Amino acid sequence: MQYLHGTENLYLPSDSAVTLGKFDGVHRGHQKLIRKVEELSRERGLISAAFTFDHIPLRLLPPSGQRFLSTNEERRYAFEQLGLAYEVEFPFTEELMNMSAEEFISEILVRRLKAKAVVVGSDYHFGRGRAGDARMLLEAGKDAGFEAFVIEKERWNGQEISSTLVRSMLMDARMEEVSELLGHPYPVMGVVALGNQLGRKMDMPTLNLYPQARKLLPPNGVYASRTRLGGRVYDGVTDIGVRPTVGQKESQVRVETNLFGYDREGEDYGSPIEVLLYSFLRPEQKFESLGELQDQMHADAKEAAKYLQAHRAL
């Protein structure tokens, strides 16, 4: 997949089928749009693309502590796995924020993206003041040279799948439901970071990653997980939190994972890692001693292994 970012010389090389949106989490509703884009690109000989935004700079909007289901890197990886040829990631500049819906169509869709097929959800809005919508695209395309396709929302248990619904489930640690909405377990990507080697002393060595500040995490606690590292997938157990038992609480939440069968201790610092969270086992808690913590860590590992053995299909 080709990745285009910025505002200068940001043009697709040929006619495209493109979908538009924030794509936070790249959930099953988003995947439905991308499948339609792929179908149209094959049928009409177009390149397939997604147009999305870099995260909104705080200088343009008041700080809100907003966090996202997917980092830009995670979103990019998801697009690539879904087969898109191009991701166009446009910075959310003041110019873009003040662009009218008509200007967005002529400048972005027609001139820059060379769109011949445009795929959006039924609730899509664009342009200054969210003045543009799916109906406007259907009408404008007739004169602008593209055909618009408006896709109805994907549904789950009678509810429309949305990033808001995924966030709600995530914040309640309902990880199985999150997996159903995303089509896969919730991912946290980063690089292997140096820890304090406490797990090694307890005969449970762990790998650490520090997620980006804008990554939305489920509640602090212990999770059954699988981890992609170095071309392999490991079952494991993951602790998300600030390690209250080992002294001073850490200011930054870490994702700390014990990988079952991992034998490369100390060899993967700085390597890309993806932790997939399958099921919530228990909340984070403070123990009276490291011995109690060690006993609980081994119990957590056994529970995670049992869960993962029974859920190989996820």
Side-chain angles (χ1 to χ4, degrees), residues 258-292:
N258 171 237
L259 308 183
F260 305 156
Y262 177 74
D263 59 2
R264 292 174 49 84
E265 188 175 346
E267 298 181 35
D268 287 304
Y269 293 128
S271 298
I273 185 172
E274 180 184 27
V275 177
L276 300 164
L277 303 174
Y278 278 70
S279 182
F280 177 70
L281 302 182
R282 65 170 177 85
E284 184 176 51
Q285 62 190 100
K286 183 175 182 179
F287 295 92
E288 294 301 318
S289 68
L290 292 180
E292 287 185 19

Side-chain angles (χ1 to χ4, degrees), residues 1-2 17-19 23 26 33-35 37-38 41 47-51 75-76 78-88:
M1 185 182 75
Q2 299 293 310
V18 62
T19 184
F23 301 104
V26 196
L33 302 179
I34 293 169
R35 285 196 301 271
V37 164
E38 289 295 304
S41 71
I47 59 174
S48 61
F51 176 89
R75 183 176 60 192
R76 197 174 307 142
F79 285 161
E80 188 168 15
Q81 295 302 112
L82 290 165
L84 284 172
Y86 284 85
E87 180 197 15
V88 180

